[in-house]
Amino acid sequence: MRTIGELRAALTMGYGFPGDADDFEAELAREINHADPADLSGVVRLVEEFRGRVAARQDPDFDSAVAAAVADIRTARSNDR
């Protein structure tokens, strides 16, 4: 994804997490409306974040990594009790 348009298309087609397309549009509008025209670093940060979300969801190992992390957290919490 080299452009914001490509990122929007990926999110609209469901390549991110549920709700990402709407969240991206709302956050992008907020960033643009509050940005200093000479400093669009907030927009850059937002685009990078959502690109990462799309990449994470497309990683075939993502779901198993999340499941392993959740299991580790549950184990740690049960050991603390």
Side-chain angles (χ1 to χ4, degrees):
M1 293 168 291
R2 298 179 58 101
T3 67
I4 291 175
E6 290 173 350
L7 177 58
R8 278 181 164 145
L11 292 170
T12 300
M13 290 186 295
Y15 288 113
F17 292 92
D20 272 358
D22 292 337
D23 291 347
F24 177 74
E25 292 301 329
E27 290 182 39
L28 180 62
R30 189 171 29 259
E31 285 293 337
I32 290 172
N33 289 335
H34 294 99
D36 176 338
D39 179 14
L40 296 176
S41 60
V43 173
V44 171
R45 178 205 51 78
L46 182 69
V47 168
E48 289 173 348
E49 175 186 339
F50 277 86
R51 263 192 202 142
R53 293 173 68 83
V54 169
R57 278 303 280 160
Q58 299 313 301
D59 182 342
D61 297 326
F62 178 80
D63 289 331
S64 61
V66 170
V70 169
D72 289 347
I73 291 168
R74 286 183 175 151
T75 299
R77 286 184 178 168
S78 67
N79 288 340
D80 290 342
R81 291 181 186 169

